[in-house]
Amino acid sequence: MTESHSLGRYRAPSFVTAFNPLVRRLIRAGLPLGPNVMLTVRGRSSGLPHTFPVAIMETAGRRFIQSPYGEVNWVRNLRVKPEAIVTKGSRQQPVAAIELAPEEAVVILRAGLDRYLRSPLLRPLVRVFTGVRPDSTDEQMLAHARRHPMFELVP
């Protein structure tokens, strides 16, 4: 892991924190909320399960998650114990979480966000949550990947 992976600790914006309880209920109920699922990880100190809504990026038959808010608790927890449970509705799947180097994440990020960036409706959401634009250079994408850890989820 590079030094840049540990740079910058962020918090989710207050509007995200405010809507998370509603989003959790909707995902648990199985309502289709795009690529959103629940991710349950064990606390690195307590060992207790903690559950967070996250968006999964699928590309080339593989699944990835990236922290839109940098090095948040679920990221730190996965680094200590790289196992999680992905839940959508009543379906649960245990996964191993493998952290990617920022250079690897750029390729996945570009491929995973491409369809959203092509949509006039979704493009602004991608910009709000990632800062990535259709014309972002590889250097800009790499700078983003260094601040926002990405994990591959393997069944």
Side-chain angles (χ1 to χ4, degrees):
M1 181 180 348
T2 64
E3 185 177 283
S4 61
H5 265 91
S6 61
L7 295 177
R9 296 193 181 200
Y10 303 98
R11 292 184 62 96
S14 58
F15 76 89
V16 170
T17 305
F19 281 107
N20 267 352
L22 174 62
V23 170
R24 287 177 190 185
R25 282 192 287 272
L26 295 174
I27 292 171
R28 283 190 180 124
L31 292 174
L33 290 179
N36 296 298
V37 299
M38 299 303 296
L39 181 74
T40 302
V41 299
R42 293 269 171 202
R44 60 195 176 281
S45 300
S46 69
L48 297 174
H50 299 281
T51 303
F52 308 89
V54 297
I56 289 189
M57 282 188 287
E58 293 190 32
T59 183
R62 297 164 64 193
R63 297 184 309 165
F64 303 88
I65 54 174
Q66 185 177 44
S67 173
Y69 309 113
E71 193 175 306
V72 293
N73 281 327
W74 67 260
V75 169
R76 292 189 290 271
N77 291 339
L78 277 180
R79 286 179 175 156
V80 171
K81 186 167 176 121
E83 300 169 356
I85 297 173
V86 173
T87 305
K88 188 158 192 167
S90 62
R91 292 180 37 200
Q92 292 188 337
Q93 181 183 38
V95 295
I98 302 164
E99 188 168 5
L100 302 181
E103 295 77 13
E104 294 174 274
V106 168
V107 175
I108 301 303
L109 187 60
R110 194 171 291 285
L113 293 178
D114 183 57
R115 69 180 176 157
Y116 301 110
L117 289 170
R118 284 185 278 137
S119 165
L121 203 56
L122 297 175
R123 188 179 310 132
L125 278 176
V126 172
R127 284 185 64 188
V128 165
F129 286 105
T130 69
V132 174
R133 303 164 46 120
D135 61 347
S136 291
T137 65
D138 284 345
E139 293 78 23
Q140 290 168 324
M141 298 284 275
L142 181 57
H144 171 82
R146 285 187 172 132
R147 293 186 311 274
H148 303 275
M150 180 181 284
F151 296 83
E152 181 174 5
L153 301 179
V154 180

PDB file of all heavy atoms in Angstrom, residues 15-43:
ATOM      1  N   PHE A  15     -25.849  15.825   4.243  1.00  0.00           N
ATOM      2  CA  PHE A  15     -27.038  15.344   3.544  1.00  0.00           C
ATOM      3  C   PHE A  15     -26.972  13.836   3.330  1.00  0.00           C
ATOM      4  O   PHE A  15     -27.985  13.151   3.358  1.00  0.00           O
ATOM      5  CB  PHE A  15     -27.277  16.095   2.222  1.00  0.00           C
ATOM      6  CG  PHE A  15     -26.376  15.694   1.080  1.00  0.00           C
ATOM      7  CD1 PHE A  15     -26.737  14.668   0.227  1.00  0.00           C
ATOM      8  CD2 PHE A  15     -25.179  16.364   0.854  1.00  0.00           C
ATOM      9  CE1 PHE A  15     -25.910  14.307  -0.833  1.00  0.00           C
ATOM     10  CE2 PHE A  15     -24.353  16.015  -0.195  1.00  0.00           C
ATOM     11  CZ  PHE A  15     -24.722  14.971  -1.042  1.00  0.00           C
ATOM     12  N   VAL A  16     -25.771  13.295   3.139  1.00  0.00           N
ATOM     13  CA  VAL A  16     -25.616  11.848   2.983  1.00  0.00           C
ATOM     14  C   VAL A  16     -25.916  11.155   4.308  1.00  0.00           C
ATOM     15  O   VAL A  16     -26.655  10.170   4.362  1.00  0.00           O
ATOM     16  CB  VAL A  16     -24.200  11.492   2.479  1.00  0.00           C
ATOM     17  CG1 VAL A  16     -23.950   9.989   2.543  1.00  0.00           C
ATOM     18  CG2 VAL A  16     -24.004  12.011   1.061  1.00  0.00           C
ATOM     19  N   THR A  17     -25.363  11.678   5.386  1.00  0.00           N
ATOM     20  CA  THR A  17     -25.609  11.119   6.714  1.00  0.00           C
ATOM     21  C   THR A  17     -27.096  11.159   7.048  1.00  0.00           C
ATOM     22  O   THR A  17     -27.637  10.210   7.611  1.00  0.00           O
ATOM     23  CB  THR A  17     -24.791  11.896   7.766  1.00  0.00           C
ATOM     24  OG1 THR A  17     -23.417  11.880   7.375  1.00  0.00           O
ATOM     25  CG2 THR A  17     -24.929  11.278   9.133  1.00  0.00           C
ATOM     26  N   ALA A  18     -27.763  12.230   6.674  1.00  0.00           N
ATOM     27  CA  ALA A  18     -29.193  12.367   6.962  1.00  0.00           C
ATOM     28  C   ALA A  18     -30.040  11.366   6.177  1.00  0.00           C
ATOM     29  O   ALA A  18     -31.020  10.834   6.695  1.00  0.00           O
ATOM     30  CB  ALA A  18     -29.651  13.795   6.653  1.00  0.00           C
ATOM     31  N   PHE A  19     -29.669  11.090   4.926  1.00  0.00           N
ATOM     32  CA  PHE A  19     -30.457  10.189   4.087  1.00  0.00           C
ATOM     33  C   PHE A  19     -30.082   8.717   4.238  1.00  0.00           C
ATOM     34  O   PHE A  19     -30.830   7.846   3.798  1.00  0.00           O
ATOM     35  CB  PHE A  19     -30.352  10.598   2.609  1.00  0.00           C
ATOM     36  CG  PHE A  19     -31.219  11.758   2.259  1.00  0.00           C
ATOM     37  CD1 PHE A  19     -30.655  13.000   2.014  1.00  0.00           C
ATOM     38  CD2 PHE A  19     -32.597  11.622   2.184  1.00  0.00           C
ATOM     39  CE1 PHE A  19     -31.453  14.087   1.694  1.00  0.00           C
ATOM     40  CE2 PHE A  19     -33.406  12.707   1.868  1.00  0.00           C
ATOM     41  CZ  PHE A  19     -32.830  13.943   1.616  1.00  0.00           C
ATOM     42  N   ASN A  20     -28.943   8.409   4.842  1.00  0.00           N
ATOM     43  CA  ASN A  20     -28.508   7.018   4.957  1.00  0.00           C
ATOM     44  C   ASN A  20     -29.529   6.100   5.627  1.00  0.00           C
ATOM     45  O   ASN A  20     -29.740   4.988   5.147  1.00  0.00           O
ATOM     46  CB  ASN A  20     -27.156   6.917   5.655  1.00  0.00           C
ATOM     47  CG  ASN A  20     -26.012   6.901   4.666  1.00  0.00           C
ATOM     48  OD1 ASN A  20     -26.215   6.822   3.453  1.00  0.00           O
ATOM     49  ND2 ASN A  20     -24.811   6.982   5.178  1.00  0.00           N
ATOM     50  N   PRO A  21     -30.197   6.503   6.722  1.00  0.00           N
ATOM     51  CA  PRO A  21     -31.196   5.593   7.313  1.00  0.00           C
ATOM     52  C   PRO A  21     -32.312   5.217   6.325  1.00  0.00           C
ATOM     53  O   PRO A  21     -32.725   4.065   6.261  1.00  0.00           O
ATOM     54  CB  PRO A  21     -31.735   6.380   8.503  1.00  0.00           C
ATOM     55  CG  PRO A  21     -30.623   7.311   8.870  1.00  0.00           C
ATOM     56  CD  PRO A  21     -29.987   7.692   7.559  1.00  0.00           C
ATOM     57  N   LEU A  22     -32.778   6.179   5.535  1.00  0.00           N
ATOM     58  CA  LEU A  22     -33.806   5.901   4.540  1.00  0.00           C
ATOM     59  C   LEU A  22     -33.264   4.978   3.450  1.00  0.00           C
ATOM     60  O   LEU A  22     -33.908   4.001   3.063  1.00  0.00           O
ATOM     61  CB  LEU A  22     -34.323   7.201   3.923  1.00  0.00           C
ATOM     62  CG  LEU A  22     -35.315   7.036   2.768  1.00  0.00           C
ATOM     63  CD1 LEU A  22     -36.578   6.325   3.242  1.00  0.00           C
ATOM     64  CD2 LEU A  22     -35.635   8.398   2.172  1.00  0.00           C
ATOM     65  N   VAL A  23     -32.063   5.281   2.966  1.00  0.00           N
ATOM     66  CA  VAL A  23     -31.446   4.462   1.921  1.00  0.00           C
ATOM     67  C   VAL A  23     -31.262   3.029   2.424  1.00  0.00           C
ATOM     68  O   VAL A  23     -31.541   2.072   1.698  1.00  0.00           O
ATOM     69  CB  VAL A  23     -30.102   5.080   1.469  1.00  0.00           C
ATOM     70  CG1 VAL A  23     -29.340   4.131   0.564  1.00  0.00           C
ATOM     71  CG2 VAL A  23     -30.350   6.408   0.769  1.00  0.00           C
ATOM     72  N   ARG A  24     -30.822   2.866   3.661  1.00  0.00           N
ATOM     73  CA  ARG A  24     -30.652   1.524   4.232  1.00  0.00           C
ATOM     74  C   ARG A  24     -31.959   0.749   4.217  1.00  0.00           C
ATOM     75  O   ARG A  24     -31.999  -0.421   3.839  1.00  0.00           O
ATOM     76  CB  ARG A  24     -30.136   1.622   5.665  1.00  0.00           C
ATOM     77  CG  ARG A  24     -28.706   2.020   5.750  1.00  0.00           C
ATOM     78  CD  ARG A  24     -28.274   2.175   7.186  1.00  0.00           C
ATOM     79  NE  ARG A  24     -26.952   2.781   7.167  1.00  0.00           N
ATOM     80  CZ  ARG A  24     -26.223   2.986   8.223  1.00  0.00           C
ATOM     81  NH1 ARG A  24     -26.666   2.658   9.412  1.00  0.00           N
ATOM     82  NH2 ARG A  24     -25.035   3.531   8.125  1.00  0.00           N
ATOM     83  N   ARG A  25     -33.037   1.393   4.643  1.00  0.00           N
ATOM     84  CA  ARG A  25     -34.338   0.708   4.668  1.00  0.00           C
ATOM     85  C   ARG A  25     -34.782   0.319   3.261  1.00  0.00           C
ATOM     86  O   ARG A  25     -35.298  -0.775   3.040  1.00  0.00           O
ATOM     87  CB  ARG A  25     -35.386   1.588   5.340  1.00  0.00           C
ATOM     88  CG  ARG A  25     -35.280   1.574   6.854  1.00  0.00           C
ATOM     89  CD  ARG A  25     -36.501   2.200   7.507  1.00  0.00           C
ATOM     90  NE  ARG A  25     -36.552   3.642   7.372  1.00  0.00           N
ATOM     91  CZ  ARG A  25     -35.995   4.490   8.225  1.00  0.00           C
ATOM     92  NH1 ARG A  25     -35.349   4.045   9.276  1.00  0.00           N
ATOM     93  NH2 ARG A  25     -36.080   5.783   8.028  1.00  0.00           N
ATOM     94  N   LEU A  26     -34.595   1.201   2.298  1.00  0.00           N
ATOM     95  CA  LEU A  26     -35.008   0.909   0.928  1.00  0.00           C
ATOM     96  C   LEU A  26     -34.206  -0.240   0.328  1.00  0.00           C
ATOM     97  O   LEU A  26     -34.768  -1.117  -0.339  1.00  0.00           O
ATOM     98  CB  LEU A  26     -34.879   2.166   0.060  1.00  0.00           C
ATOM     99  CG  LEU A  26     -35.811   3.330   0.431  1.00  0.00           C
ATOM    100  CD1 LEU A  26     -35.473   4.561  -0.404  1.00  0.00           C
ATOM    101  CD2 LEU A  26     -37.259   2.934   0.282  1.00  0.00           C
ATOM    102  N   ILE A  27     -32.896  -0.253   0.567  1.00  0.00           N
ATOM    103  CA  ILE A  27     -32.054  -1.334   0.045  1.00  0.00           C
ATOM    104  C   ILE A  27     -32.422  -2.652   0.721  1.00  0.00           C
ATOM    105  O   ILE A  27     -32.548  -3.689   0.070  1.00  0.00           O
ATOM    106  CB  ILE A  27     -30.556  -1.015   0.224  1.00  0.00           C
ATOM    107  CG1 ILE A  27     -30.155   0.159  -0.673  1.00  0.00           C
ATOM    108  CG2 ILE A  27     -29.700  -2.244  -0.111  1.00  0.00           C
ATOM    109  CD1 ILE A  27     -28.760   0.692  -0.408  1.00  0.00           C
ATOM    110  N   ARG A  28     -32.597  -2.617   2.045  1.00  0.00           N
ATOM    111  CA  ARG A  28     -32.970  -3.844   2.770  1.00  0.00           C
ATOM    112  C   ARG A  28     -34.324  -4.379   2.304  1.00  0.00           C
ATOM    113  O   ARG A  28     -34.563  -5.579   2.328  1.00  0.00           O
ATOM    114  CB  ARG A  28     -32.992  -3.584   4.267  1.00  0.00           C
ATOM    115  CG  ARG A  28     -31.611  -3.550   4.859  1.00  0.00           C
ATOM    116  CD  ARG A  28     -31.653  -3.534   6.384  1.00  0.00           C
ATOM    117  NE  ARG A  28     -30.302  -3.501   6.904  1.00  0.00           N
ATOM    118  CZ  ARG A  28     -29.842  -2.576   7.740  1.00  0.00           C
ATOM    119  NH1 ARG A  28     -30.630  -1.619   8.169  1.00  0.00           N
ATOM    120  NH2 ARG A  28     -28.601  -2.626   8.153  1.00  0.00           N
ATOM    121  N   ALA A  29     -35.213  -3.475   1.899  1.00  0.00           N
ATOM    122  CA  ALA A  29     -36.530  -3.882   1.409  1.00  0.00           C
ATOM    123  C   ALA A  29     -36.443  -4.457  -0.009  1.00  0.00           C
ATOM    124  O   ALA A  29     -37.417  -4.994  -0.522  1.00  0.00           O
ATOM    125  CB  ALA A  29     -37.494  -2.701   1.444  1.00  0.00           C
ATOM    126  N   GLY A  30     -35.282  -4.320  -0.632  1.00  0.00           N
ATOM    127  CA  GLY A  30     -35.091  -4.867  -1.972  1.00  0.00           C
ATOM    128  C   GLY A  30     -35.502  -3.935  -3.092  1.00  0.00           C
ATOM    129  O   GLY A  30     -35.572  -4.343  -4.245  1.00  0.00           O
ATOM    130  N   LEU A  31     -35.777  -2.671  -2.774  1.00  0.00           N
ATOM    131  CA  LEU A  31     -36.134  -1.726  -3.830  1.00  0.00           C
ATOM    132  C   LEU A  31     -34.915  -1.452  -4.709  1.00  0.00           C
ATOM    133  O   LEU A  31     -33.799  -1.326  -4.214  1.00  0.00           O
ATOM    134  CB  LEU A  31     -36.658  -0.428  -3.227  1.00  0.00           C
ATOM    135  CG  LEU A  31     -37.996  -0.558  -2.514  1.00  0.00           C
ATOM    136  CD1 LEU A  31     -38.365   0.744  -1.827  1.00  0.00           C
ATOM    137  CD2 LEU A  31     -39.082  -0.951  -3.491  1.00  0.00           C
ATOM    138  N   PRO A  32     -35.131  -1.355  -6.003  1.00  0.00           N
ATOM    139  CA  PRO A  32     -33.998  -1.136  -6.911  1.00  0.00           C
ATOM    140  C   PRO A  32     -33.469   0.292  -6.799  1.00  0.00           C
ATOM    141  O   PRO A  32     -34.125   1.231  -7.206  1.00  0.00           O
ATOM    142  CB  PRO A  32     -34.585  -1.413  -8.297  1.00  0.00           C
ATOM    143  CG  PRO A  32     -36.048  -1.164  -8.141  1.00  0.00           C
ATOM    144  CD  PRO A  32     -36.396  -1.479  -6.711  1.00  0.00           C
ATOM    145  N   LEU A  33     -32.298   0.429  -6.224  1.00  0.00           N
ATOM    146  CA  LEU A  33     -31.649   1.737  -6.116  1.00  0.00           C
ATOM    147  C   LEU A  33     -30.345   1.712  -6.901  1.00  0.00           C
ATOM    148  O   LEU A  33     -29.281   2.032  -6.393  1.00  0.00           O
ATOM    149  CB  LEU A  33     -31.387   2.081  -4.650  1.00  0.00           C
ATOM    150  CG  LEU A  33     -32.609   2.398  -3.803  1.00  0.00           C
ATOM    151  CD1 LEU A  33     -32.208   2.685  -2.367  1.00  0.00           C
ATOM    152  CD2 LEU A  33     -33.360   3.591  -4.364  1.00  0.00           C
ATOM    153  N   GLY A  34     -30.454   1.312  -8.142  1.00  0.00           N
ATOM    154  CA  GLY A  34     -29.273   1.270  -9.004  1.00  0.00           C
ATOM    155  C   GLY A  34     -28.229   0.315  -8.462  1.00  0.00           C
ATOM    156  O   GLY A  34     -28.548  -0.786  -8.043  1.00  0.00           O
ATOM    157  N   PRO A  35     -26.992   0.761  -8.414  1.00  0.00           N
ATOM    158  CA  PRO A  35     -25.896  -0.126  -8.006  1.00  0.00           C
ATOM    159  C   PRO A  35     -25.708  -0.189  -6.487  1.00  0.00           C
ATOM    160  O   PRO A  35     -24.722  -0.729  -6.007  1.00  0.00           O
ATOM    161  CB  PRO A  35     -24.677   0.522  -8.668  1.00  0.00           C
ATOM    162  CG  PRO A  35     -25.007   1.982  -8.658  1.00  0.00           C
ATOM    163  CD  PRO A  35     -26.503   2.052  -8.906  1.00  0.00           C
ATOM    164  N   ASN A  36     -26.657   0.341  -5.718  1.00  0.00           N
ATOM    165  CA  ASN A  36     -26.482   0.433  -4.273  1.00  0.00           C
ATOM    166  C   ASN A  36     -26.825  -0.869  -3.561  1.00  0.00           C
ATOM    167  O   ASN A  36     -27.814  -1.518  -3.871  1.00  0.00           O
ATOM    168  CB  ASN A  36     -27.326   1.570  -3.704  1.00  0.00           C
ATOM    169  CG  ASN A  36     -26.851   2.895  -4.235  1.00  0.00           C
ATOM    170  OD1 ASN A  36     -25.724   3.297  -3.999  1.00  0.00           O
ATOM    171  ND2 ASN A  36     -27.702   3.572  -4.987  1.00  0.00           N
ATOM    172  N   VAL A  37     -25.974  -1.215  -2.594  1.00  0.00           N
ATOM    173  CA  VAL A  37     -26.137  -2.397  -1.757  1.00  0.00           C
ATOM    174  C   VAL A  37     -25.738  -2.012  -0.337  1.00  0.00           C
ATOM    175  O   VAL A  37     -25.230  -0.918  -0.100  1.00  0.00           O
ATOM    176  CB  VAL A  37     -25.247  -3.578  -2.233  1.00  0.00           C
ATOM    177  CG1 VAL A  37     -25.609  -4.007  -3.644  1.00  0.00           C
ATOM    178  CG2 VAL A  37     -23.765  -3.220  -2.148  1.00  0.00           C
ATOM    179  N   MET A  38     -25.951  -2.932   0.583  1.00  0.00           N
ATOM    180  CA  MET A  38     -25.473  -2.744   1.945  1.00  0.00           C
ATOM    181  C   MET A  38     -24.178  -3.539   2.105  1.00  0.00           C
ATOM    182  O   MET A  38     -24.095  -4.684   1.662  1.00  0.00           O
ATOM    183  CB  MET A  38     -26.514  -3.229   2.957  1.00  0.00           C
ATOM    184  CG  MET A  38     -27.843  -2.491   2.873  1.00  0.00           C
ATOM    185  SD  MET A  38     -27.715  -0.708   3.071  1.00  0.00           S
ATOM    186  CE  MET A  38     -27.133  -0.592   4.733  1.00  0.00           C
ATOM    187  N   LEU A  39     -23.196  -2.934   2.725  1.00  0.00           N
ATOM    188  CA  LEU A  39     -21.913  -3.579   2.985  1.00  0.00           C
ATOM    189  C   LEU A  39     -21.757  -3.689   4.498  1.00  0.00           C
ATOM    190  O   LEU A  39     -21.794  -2.676   5.201  1.00  0.00           O
ATOM    191  CB  LEU A  39     -20.769  -2.744   2.404  1.00  0.00           C
ATOM    192  CG  LEU A  39     -19.371  -3.330   2.579  1.00  0.00           C
ATOM    193  CD1 LEU A  39     -19.175  -4.500   1.622  1.00  0.00           C
ATOM    194  CD2 LEU A  39     -18.313  -2.266   2.333  1.00  0.00           C
ATOM    195  N   THR A  40     -21.597  -4.912   4.988  1.00  0.00           N
ATOM    196  CA  THR A  40     -21.401  -5.130   6.420  1.00  0.00           C
ATOM    197  C   THR A  40     -19.962  -5.572   6.646  1.00  0.00           C
ATOM    198  O   THR A  40     -19.498  -6.535   6.033  1.00  0.00           O
ATOM    199  CB  THR A  40     -22.373  -6.195   6.965  1.00  0.00           C
ATOM    200  OG1 THR A  40     -23.710  -5.767   6.700  1.00  0.00           O
ATOM    201  CG2 THR A  40     -22.193  -6.387   8.464  1.00  0.00           C
ATOM    202  N   VAL A  41     -19.269  -4.831   7.510  1.00  0.00           N
ATOM    203  CA  VAL A  41     -17.872  -5.133   7.850  1.00  0.00           C
ATOM    204  C   VAL A  41     -17.757  -5.228   9.366  1.00  0.00           C
ATOM    205  O   VAL A  41     -18.580  -4.685  10.099  1.00  0.00           O
ATOM    206  CB  VAL A  41     -16.908  -4.050   7.307  1.00  0.00           C
ATOM    207  CG1 VAL A  41     -16.975  -3.963   5.794  1.00  0.00           C
ATOM    208  CG2 VAL A  41     -17.216  -2.688   7.909  1.00  0.00           C
ATOM    209  N   ARG A  42     -16.736  -5.913   9.836  1.00  0.00           N
ATOM    210  CA  ARG A  42     -16.474  -6.015  11.277  1.00  0.00           C
ATOM    211  C   ARG A  42     -15.636  -4.823  11.713  1.00  0.00           C
ATOM    212  O   ARG A  42     -14.681  -4.436  11.041  1.00  0.00           O
ATOM    213  CB  ARG A  42     -15.714  -7.301  11.603  1.00  0.00           C
ATOM    214  CG  ARG A  42     -16.531  -8.523  11.363  1.00  0.00           C
ATOM    215  CD  ARG A  42     -17.273  -8.900  12.615  1.00  0.00           C
ATOM    216  NE  ARG A  42     -18.232  -9.946  12.323  1.00  0.00           N
ATOM    217  CZ  ARG A  42     -19.272 -10.183  13.070  1.00  0.00           C
ATOM    218  NH1 ARG A  42     -19.486  -9.464  14.149  1.00  0.00           N
ATOM    219  NH2 ARG A  42     -20.107 -11.130  12.758  1.00  0.00           N
ATOM    220  N   GLY A  43     -15.988  -4.254  12.862  1.00  0.00           N
ATOM    221  CA  GLY A  43     -15.220  -3.146  13.415  1.00  0.00           C
ATOM    222  C   GLY A  43     -13.804  -3.591  13.729  1.00  0.00           C
ATOM    223  O   GLY A  43     -13.593  -4.687  14.247  1.00  0.00           O
TER     224      GLY A  43
END
